[in-house]
Amino acid sequence: MLREPKVVVTGHTEDGIATIISDQPPRTYPNPKFLTTFYEVWNEARVPVTVSRQMHDSETDLTHPPPRGGVRIWMHDFEPAGDKIGKFTYEEIVEHFREVGSDDAVPSKENWKQAFMHRTESIDFGIMIEGQLTMIMEDCERTLYPGDVVVQVGTNHGWENRGDTMSRIAFVLLDGDYDDELRGLLGTKPKPQVA
């Protein structure tokens, strides 16, 4: 078992002195069925952020894509997959992503290569913290180790812990829009404009 993470949030006192305003575990969403635990670290609905004296993350539910025009930070713990990952049906995975707000994240069944393959119209920075994690792409794979960083640029991908210990990765997800060329190649519909 990995150590429970903490989120330490800084801010300012009424006199403008820098201080710590919160020091606690993030919202935690264990999902043993899918061999993972999600930790919601922080979300901002819009970038640039209006920085105030005592900021708080106001989301309360697990949501997959970043807010429209915003940023999401989270961590994932992955159990060793063993032979479990091949037992999920396409329909179970589609429903899982639908439940966390990513109705269109899973590729079509004919393009579904791995159980958790999905994509979001965003740029995601993944920083490996502990263990190992294999990133499955449509035409290749890469195993990440502590200190490795992946920049996921709106591509179909899946994750699998092929090691024998727990793994942890942190993500910073920035909302984005495909350019016209990529949107045409992928056949996706435009997202609503940022308000």
Side-chain angles (χ1 to χ4, degrees), residues 35-157:
L35 312 174
T36 188
T37 298
F38 295 90
Y39 301 99
E40 284 280 354
V41 176
W42 194 269
N43 304 287
E44 286 296 335
R46 178 167 291 138
V47 176
V49 174
T50 300
V51 179
S52 63
R53 190 170 64 78
Q54 296 211 354
M55 296 180 69
H56 299 278
D57 173 15
S58 60
E59 278 196 23
T60 57
D61 296 319
L62 176 64
T63 305
H64 181 246
R68 188 68 179 118
V71 62
R72 178 174 311 288
I73 302 171
W74 56 9
M75 287 188 285
H76 291 233
D77 288 353
F78 289 86
E79 294 178 29
D83 63 351
K84 300 174 202 165
I85 204 157
K87 295 180 181 174
F88 299 117
T89 68
Y90 179 77
E91 292 73 22
E92 286 177 308
I93 299 304
V94 168
E95 182 58 27
H96 166 69
F97 279 99
R98 187 172 289 135
E99 287 173 359
V100 294
S102 283
D103 292 355
D104 58 354
V106 181
S108 64
K109 196 167 189 174
E110 57 271 4
N111 294 325
W112 188 58
K113 178 179 175 180
Q114 189 262 359
F116 294 105
M117 187 160 269
H118 67 284
R119 76 168 170 236
T120 54
E121 200 165 335
S122 59
I123 294 183
D124 308 340
F125 303 91
I127 303 117
M128 260 325 274
I129 298 172
E130 291 189 51
Q132 67 177 38
L133 197 57
T134 300
M135 177 178 63
I136 296 105
M137 304 297 294
E138 291 176 332
D139 69 348
C140 61
E141 297 181 354
R142 188 75 74 242
T143 300
L144 305 174
Y145 300 93
D148 290 344
V149 177
V150 62
V151 181
Q152 190 62 251
V153 186
T155 55
N156 273 332
H157 65 284

Side-chain angles (χ1 to χ4, degrees), residues 1-7 24-26 28 39 75 77 168:
M1 190 56 124
L2 299 176
R3 176 188 164 282
E4 181 180 58
K6 288 199 309 184
V7 178
Q24 60 190 8
T28 303
Y39 301 99
M75 287 188 285
D77 288 353
R168 177 174 288 165

Side-chain angles (χ1 to χ4, degrees), residues 157-193:
H157 65 284
W159 300 104
E160 189 172 328
N161 179 353
R162 295 179 179 164
D164 55 7
T165 62
M166 293 288 291
S167 65
R168 177 174 288 165
I169 187 168
F171 285 101
V172 178
L173 292 78
L174 303 177
D175 182 45
D177 291 295
Y178 294 136
D179 67 14
D180 292 340
E181 176 189 17
L182 186 55
R183 188 170 304 288
L185 286 170
L186 299 176
T188 63
K189 296 176 184 170
K191 296 191 310 191
Q193 293 295 316

